[in-house]
Amino acid sequence: MGTDETTPPREYRMTELAEAAGITVRTLRYYRERKLIPPPRREGRVAWYDDRHLARLRTIAALLERGHTLGGIAELIAAFEGGRGVAEILGLGGAIAAPWSRETLVRLAPEELADHFADQATPENLAASLDIGYLAVDGEELVHVSSRLLDVSRRLVREGVPLPAILAAGREIRAHADALAATFTAIVREHLLPDDVPPSPEAVEHVQRTLDRLRPLARTVVEAEVALAMDRRVRADVESWLDDGVTPR
DNA sequence: ATTCTTACA
DNA sequence: TGTAAGGA
């Protein structure tokens, strides 16, 4: 029926945009001075804003609502527009790209993120996801570094697990995974590589190929051990539950 | 006369 | 952040 909201390519002048966003014209100009919104299209004297500006203002309002400072918001926005700066702002440096190079990147429009995680797609969770390295920013798009981890996160959220809990678990598992990787590489280094390591291109390639060849074995070991550990864990929990007659933990 | 900016509080 | 004054 009448669900035909004709809104797409509209343009606003200052007063219209301010009213639509629920702020004063003075505030709008202030945001623009602080680079919180992009410059409007100038037609002589008049400034024309579009829906992107309105969306940005809504974002700013939401962030302010959650207690963020204008300065912090400005940093985030600058990072988004820079496309590469978020990791630096959060103090992660280049820790995002390299370790995940073999994973499948998933490009996400911001709307898709809300689509996947519904009300859990909050700025806090977004920041946490950036911090842990699950998400990176590329221009106006978000990039998830692992299609598999994204899928698991999505399913867990649908099952009712809060996203902050998932991200916290991700950090924990990341630390354990680092330790496992250290164990595997130590074994390779000690037993499968020559003692003296002359820094030749051939040697580097040999190391790479050796690690690639053993990677599936490491994965199998971890899978099997986790399966066994899960069995032990569940058994232990159930036993203590029966003994105490009380739900553990 | 309208639309914005500047400047000051 | 409001508002008065002034440029285009």
Side-chain angles (χ1 to χ4, degrees):
Chain A
M1 300 288 252
T3 56
D4 190 53
E5 292 291 331
T6 307
T7 321
R10 185 185 169 180
E11 288 198 315
Y12 311 78
R13 49 194 192 283
M14 288 193 85
T15 44
E16 287 177 327
L17 181 68
E19 186 181 4
I23 60 178
T24 66
V25 175
R26 180 67 179 87
T27 305
L28 175 60
R29 201 191 330 274
Y30 184 64
Y31 287 171
R32 206 190 58 197
E33 289 169 1
R34 298 202 59 168
K35 306 291 174 62
L36 288 162
I37 56 176
R41 184 175 66 85
R42 279 303 171 80
E43 185 177 305
R45 195 112 222 100
V46 299
W48 291 103
Y49 297 86
D50 56 29
D51 293 304
R52 234 192 65 71
H53 295 96
L54 182 56
R56 171 64 59 81
L57 288 174
R58 297 228 160 97
T59 300
I60 294 172
L63 289 171
L64 285 174
E65 190 77 14
R66 294 176 184 277
H68 286 73
T69 169
L70 277 183
I73 296 173
E75 277 189 332
L76 265 186
I77 287 175
F80 270 69
E81 291 181 341
R84 277 287 172 182
V86 172
E88 294 173 5
I89 283 183
L90 296 175
L92 280 185
I96 288 178
W100 301 88
S101 53
R102 291 182 181 278
E103 270 284 4
T104 306
L105 298 180
V106 180
R107 307 188 71 80
L108 294 167
E111 311 83 52
E112 292 181 278
L113 202 67
D115 199 39
H116 282 312
F117 296 104
D119 60 322
Q120 306 247 12
T122 65
E124 286 78 12
N125 289 336
L126 173 63
S129 299
L130 292 168
D131 186 53
I132 198 177
Y134 283 173
L135 280 180
V137 177
D138 183 19
E140 286 294 323
E141 273 186 331
L142 295 167
V143 178
H144 199 291
V145 294
S146 167
S147 57
R148 291 180 293 178
L149 291 177
L150 173 62
D151 187 52
V152 170
S153 299
R154 189 179 56 79
R155 293 194 193 189
L156 287 175
V157 166
R158 293 180 83 88
E159 292 285 341
V161 181
L163 193 47
I166 295 173
L167 296 174
R171 288 181 189 278
E172 203 173 325
I173 292 170
R174 169 79 54 86
H176 291 308
D178 281 336
L180 291 172
T183 299
F184 287 126
T185 55
I187 285 182
V188 170
R189 194 184 319 115
E190 283 184 40
H191 303 288
L192 300 181
L193 298 179
D195 289 336
D196 47 7
V197 195
S200 70
E202 297 167 344
V204 173
E205 176 142 353
H206 178 252
V207 171
Q208 291 278 7
R209 287 197 304 170
T210 302
L211 290 176
D212 282 345
R213 182 155 40 86
L214 296 180
R215 196 186 302 264
L217 301 183
R219 179 170 100 54
T220 301
V221 170
V222 172
E223 240 179 41
E225 284 289 1
V226 169
L228 291 172
M230 288 288 285
D231 284 344
R232 290 195 296 269
R233 190 71 241 166
V234 170
R235 201 158 306 165
D237 283 355
V238 169
E239 277 178 16
S240 70
W241 176 57
L242 291 178
D243 288 346
D244 303 346
V246 176
T247 304
R249 205 202 316 213

